[in-house]
Amino acid sequence: MPALGETLLRHIKEPGHPAEEMEAEEMECATLTGSEKQISWATDIRASRMLVAQSGRVLFGALLASREQSEELLRCLQSIRRAHWWIETRTLGHGQFLLAALDEGFKARYVTPPLGNDATPHDLQAPAMLAAAVLEEALLSPAKTLGPVAEISLAAGKVRVVLIEFDEGTNTLLKRCGYHWEAPAWTRQAVDEVAGHRAVEIAVRLLAHGCPVRIFDEALRQRVVENNYEPESPRRVEVSVSEKYRTKFHLVWTLDSSPRECMGSARQLRGAKVFDDGAYVSVSHFEDILDFADQNGFSITPEAQALIDAEKQKLAGSVRVVAQPKRAECAPSKPALLAVTGEIDAELLDD
């Protein structure tokens, strides 16, 4: 299912002329909420983002059609109150930030009840000192540090992991856990119902791997401290995000204790492309997938279940036919010819 931001973006991408610059008095923003240090740092980040949005030129790769559309986007940005959201999204590219902002702005304006204007006053310390203090406050350290710091956040229906520096071992762990590289972060799709669990789980795994973890969302960070999450099944059926195998089922067992057993079972599926760490199967074989999952202990993700339901719906109005091909009758057999011996029949001999 597309994120709300992706849906709203279609209306913003209509061709037209850039919006005119809004007046300064029209740019009043909602009071930020969070710790004093977070609010002060987020204020600077928001001001920078708003300056780009206010320019009215080609914005985030999308040409704005009118002043009204530009103002609608700015109202979304103005309505976002959570300081840690601005901090979490500070490294997003323009396109990804736009989608995240539209999602968050919509929730702030129409879903989340309005908050009062009693937020803590901004800290007046130097920006560099404030940033350092916020970074330290959000950091969780492992018993022994063996890898780079990893920043974890939720944005636009994805779990994002940003590594402060390159580390091959950590990259391998993220790939095994289903994360894909979308510069500048490792990302993984996650529906709202399980996004928090997946964010906490990857944080716990990274800490166990030896990576310090930074999370600006206090509630999410506390869940990591308490190890409070529902672990994901090591055997699961997902929807492929690979360009080559798009819209196919992806059977995953990278973290399973018996990968060879999974490989052997997957090879029995019709048309399956089987690899060491998983397999791909056409959506037309969804009934086989359901049987396979039930027999081999594979869980089915919400996205995969939605794909199965869609395939079932396509067949819902069709007529079920029990096909019984007819067998054609064989042509009558011809009499067998006597073997040639080379001798001439007596009746044919000359007198």
Side-chain angles (χ1 to χ4, degrees), residues 88 313 347:
E88 285 177 343
Q313 187 62 35
E347 296 179 358

Side-chain angles (χ1 to χ4, degrees), residues 17-23 54-56 66-67 70-71 74:
H17 298 289
E20 300 174 9
E21 184 173 335
M22 294 179 67
E23 299 295 332
Q54 190 183 9
S55 68
S66 66
R67 179 186 178 90
S70 178
E71 290 177 353
L74 287 167

Side-chain angles (χ1 to χ4, degrees), residues 18-281:
E20 300 174 9
E21 184 173 335
M22 294 179 67
E23 299 295 332
E25 58 266 26
E26 298 177 9
M27 294 294 294
E28 182 177 354
C29 296
T31 302
L32 292 173
T33 61
S35 70
E36 294 185 9
K37 295 173 183 177
Q38 286 180 329
I39 289 172
S40 185
W41 191 18
T43 299
D44 292 336
I45 297 171
R46 180 173 67 176
S48 177
R49 290 287 196 182
M50 294 293 289
L51 184 62
V52 175
Q54 190 183 9
S55 68
R57 294 189 291 273
V58 177
L59 181 61
F60 309 137
L63 187 64
L64 298 183
S66 66
R67 179 186 178 90
E68 288 72 24
Q69 288 181 333
S70 178
E71 290 177 353
E72 175 64 21
L73 173 61
L74 287 167
R75 279 192 286 270
C76 278
L77 295 176
Q78 289 171 276
S79 66
I80 299 174
R81 297 173 174 271
R82 298 187 297 135
H84 74 74
W85 182 90
W86 289 97
I87 296 171
E88 285 177 343
T89 58
R90 72 190 189 283
T91 60
L92 285 180
H94 291 325
Q96 291 179 316
F97 176 77
L98 173 58
L99 296 178
L102 290 171
D103 280 342
E104 184 68 16
F106 182 88
K107 294 173 185 176
R109 295 169 63 193
Y110 303 112
V111 179
T112 305
L115 300 175
N117 295 321
D118 55 351
T120 307
H122 294 175
D123 198 322
L124 300 179
Q125 298 179 45
M129 295 179 61
L130 280 169
V134 173
L135 292 172
E136 181 180 358
E137 181 182 60
L139 190 65
L140 300 175
S141 298
K144 184 177 182 180
T145 300
L146 300 173
V149 174
E151 287 190 8
I152 299 175
S153 62
L154 296 172
K158 293 182 180 180
V159 180
R160 301 179 68 254
V161 180
V162 177
L163 299 181
I164 302 305
E165 60 187 47
F166 175 84
D167 183 76
E168 186 172 352
T170 307
N171 290 348
T172 299
L173 171 63
L174 289 167
K175 285 188 282 189
R176 290 183 64 203
C177 292
Y179 286 77
H180 304 271
W181 177 249
E182 293 181 10
W186 289 92
T187 67
R188 179 177 171 181
Q189 295 283 351
V191 295
D192 291 342
E193 291 78 5
V194 298
H197 293 290
R198 299 291 73 78
V200 174
E201 181 169 22
I202 193 60
V204 172
R205 289 189 178 278
L206 286 168
L207 284 165
H209 182 67
C211 292
V213 169
R214 182 175 290 125
I215 303 177
F216 296 103
D217 186 317
E218 294 181 16
L220 202 61
R221 189 168 65 245
Q222 186 59 34
R223 287 178 60 182
V224 175
V225 173
E226 298 172 355
N227 209 35
N228 179 15
Y229 69 96
E230 294 179 7
E232 187 172 41
S233 170
R235 298 184 178 189
R236 58 188 183 276
V237 179
E238 302 179 341
V239 177
S240 173
V241 296
S242 166
E243 189 67 29
K244 183 177 181 179
Y245 298 106
R246 178 174 293 180
T247 70
K248 289 182 179 291
F249 292 116
H250 185 198
L251 311 183
V252 179
W253 57 75
T254 51
L255 299 177
D256 192 80
S257 58
S258 303
R260 291 188 178 278
E261 176 183 319
C262 296
M263 289 175 62
S265 299
R267 287 197 176 99
Q268 306 304 313
L269 288 166
R270 291 180 297 158
K273 298 289 185 181
V274 183
F275 302 92
D276 290 343
D277 58 353
Y280 297 90
V281 182

